[in-house]
Amino acid sequence: IALSFVCFAITGAFLFLGTKWARSAMFPLFFLVFFIPLPEIVVDTLEEASKQASAEVANWLFLITGTTFLRSEPTIFQLPGITIAVAKECSGIRSSLVLIITSLLAANMFLRTTWRRALLVAAVIPLGLFRNAVRILVISLLCVHIGPHMINSVIHRRGGPFFFALSLVPLFAMLWWFRRQELKRNPPTCDPRHIA
């Protein structure tokens, strides 16, 4: 139903408003594609891939921070006093989708060059994996140094928005840097007629 609606909206724009207007509004029209829910098999595949990749990045963070652990399975970490299993719920696939939408909007609004836009959106993938891995690391270290009860803490159960907000910082920093580079190469021109 959602796919039919999106196709109807895009076709209607071309048919009733004209090709010229529809082409100028191409981005908001095709942005409607996010109305279409992904098939369950695609969601499961993405969640599993994100879970495995996040566990791999978390493994590197454990090594970098000098945390004592044993990786008995690809997504299971045995730490002093607790065993951490990276579940599908830890994949962060929904927050990554919101991050992709945010990056698409920001790239379209503030950047001019196609390759910078594409690079900003592509950066969401490693950024999302790193965010998930940092969350796994933080929860694991809290369980080790404070107590196993931290696995049921607010940071674990309700900490998603906080870590999502943190992931916006490097994304917007990258956007700011790209924007600055574009303005250096092509500074905005000022119309002399508008100068008082």
Side-chain angles (χ1 to χ4, degrees), residues 135-161:
R135 188 177 179 187
I136 294 166
L137 175 70
V138 168
I139 293 167
S140 300
L141 292 180
L142 288 173
C143 290
V144 169
H145 296 291
I146 297 178
H149 64 277
M150 292 303 293
I151 197 70
N152 296 314
S153 66
V154 175
I155 295 175
H156 185 205
R157 299 299 179 192
R158 301 277 183 250

Side-chain angles (χ1 to χ4, degrees), residues 54-70:
S54 297
E56 194 61 42
V57 178
N59 181 74
W60 283 101
L61 291 181
F62 283 135
L63 291 172
I64 291 169
T65 56
T67 304
T68 303
F69 74 100
L70 175 64

Side-chain angles (χ1 to χ4, degrees), residues 21-74:
W21 185 92
R23 282 182 179 172
S24 66
M26 193 69 70
F27 178 80
L29 282 174
F30 281 99
F31 202 76
L32 292 172
V33 75
F34 288 106
F35 275 136
I36 305 169
L38 292 172
E40 192 172 335
I41 188 171
V42 174
V43 174
D44 288 341
T45 303
L46 289 174
E47 283 182 341
E48 184 62 29
S50 180
K51 181 184 80 171
Q52 297 286 343
S54 297
E56 194 61 42
V57 178
N59 181 74
W60 283 101
L61 291 181
F62 283 135
L63 291 172
I64 291 169
T65 56
T67 304
T68 303
F69 74 100
L70 175 64
R71 193 178 184 185
S72 56
E73 291 182 29

Side-chain angles (χ1 to χ4, degrees), residues 3-194:
L3 177 60
S4 300
F5 170 76
V6 170
C7 292
F8 173 77
I10 294 172
T11 306
F14 276 95
L15 185 62
F16 295 108
L17 300 174
T19 305
K20 186 177 180 181
W21 185 92
R23 282 182 179 172
S24 66
M26 193 69 70
F27 178 80
L29 282 174
F30 281 99
F31 202 76
L32 292 172
V33 75
F34 288 106
F35 275 136
I36 305 169
L38 292 172
E40 192 172 335
I41 188 171
V42 174
V43 174
D44 288 341
T45 303
L46 289 174
E47 283 182 341
E48 184 62 29
S50 180
K51 181 184 80 171
Q52 297 286 343
S54 297
E56 194 61 42
V57 178
N59 181 74
W60 283 101
L61 291 181
F62 283 135
L63 291 172
I64 291 169
T65 56
T67 304
T68 303
F69 74 100
L70 175 64
R71 193 178 184 185
S72 56
E73 291 182 29
T75 57
I76 296 178
F77 298 93
Q78 294 179 5
L79 297 110
I82 193 167
T83 298
I84 299 290
V86 182
K88 276 190 176 183
E89 292 78 12
C90 304
S91 66
I93 196 70
R94 286 166 184 79
S95 58
S96 294
L97 181 59
V98 175
L99 209 58
I100 289 172
I101 293 172
T102 304
S103 65
L104 281 169
L105 284 171
N108 187 66
M109 289 174 64
F110 299 108
L111 300 177
R112 301 175 194 166
T113 52
T114 304
W115 72 268
R116 284 189 178 93
R117 288 177 174 177
L119 198 57
L120 184 72
V121 176
V124 168
I125 297 171
L127 186 58
L129 295 176
F130 183 73
R131 177 202 62 225
N132 292 345
V134 167
R135 188 177 179 187
I136 294 166
L137 175 70
V138 168
I139 293 167
S140 300
L141 292 180
L142 288 173
C143 290
V144 169
H145 296 291
I146 297 178
H149 64 277
M150 292 303 293
I151 197 70
N152 296 314
S153 66
V154 175
I155 295 175
H156 185 205
R157 299 299 179 192
R158 301 277 183 250
F162 172 74
F163 286 97
F164 173 77
L166 285 181
S167 64
L168 289 176
V169 175
L171 182 71
F172 286 141
M174 190 176 178
L175 172 65
W176 173 81
W177 187 71
F178 281 163
R179 174 77 172 163
R180 188 177 177 189
Q181 294 300 313
E182 286 188 346
L183 290 176
K184 277 184 179 179
R185 291 177 179 272
N186 299 304
T189 56
C190 184
D191 191 341
R193 293 174 297 180
H194 296 155

